Amino acid sequence: MTDLENRLQAQITAQNLMIEALLEAVIRAGQLDPSALVGKLEQFVSAPKASVTNPGEIAAVMGEVDAWADMISGRYLVVKDSSPERNPR
């Protein structure tokens, strides 16, 4: 990796850590409903995308958004065996 790539990766990692810490704080404080957040992220992933946008870029963003939904669901929601719905922990 080049120096620029290393710095960009470091910035992305630091931003992810900050986002995760902020999510933790607002969810624990009751200011953010994790079910609603996951629903919005899943809605974005399933929504039709603008045809003028690069399909590769759309796929990359969708993959990242889906990964965040999975992370939030895994940390803050419980999936019942009898139901595919996600429920708050």
Side-chain angles (χ1 to χ4, degrees), residues 6-44:
N6 287 333
R7 287 187 313 200
L8 289 172
Q9 185 59 51
Q11 288 177 357
I12 291 167
T13 299
Q15 290 170 357
N16 282 340
L17 292 170
M18 290 299 300
I19 291 168
E20 288 179 31
L22 291 169
L23 279 172
E24 175 98 13
V26 297
I27 289 171
R28 292 203 185 278
Q31 297 297 312
L32 179 66
D33 175 13
S35 297
L37 177 58
V38 169
K40 284 187 178 196
L41 294 173
E42 289 175 340
Q43 181 180 14
F44 172 83

Side-chain angles (χ1 to χ4, degrees), residues 9-89:
Q9 185 59 51
Q11 288 177 357
I12 291 167
T13 299
Q15 290 170 357
N16 282 340
L17 292 170
M18 290 299 300
I19 291 168
E20 288 179 31
L22 291 169
L23 279 172
E24 175 98 13
V26 297
I27 289 171
R28 292 203 185 278
Q31 297 297 312
L32 179 66
D33 175 13
S35 297
L37 177 58
V38 169
K40 284 187 178 196
L41 294 173
E42 289 175 340
Q43 181 180 14
F44 172 83
V45 171
S46 66
K49 309 299 182 276
S51 60
V52 295
T53 306
N54 179 326
E57 291 175 12
I58 291 172
V61 170
M62 289 172 57
E64 289 297 318
V65 170
D66 198 38
W68 277 100
D70 287 346
M71 184 275 294
I72 293 164
S73 178
R75 285 191 183 178
Y76 303 105
L77 302 175
V78 176
V79 177
K80 293 183 177 179
D81 290 337
S82 61
S83 171
E85 297 177 20
R86 294 176 169 145
N87 299 299
R89 284 189 177 189

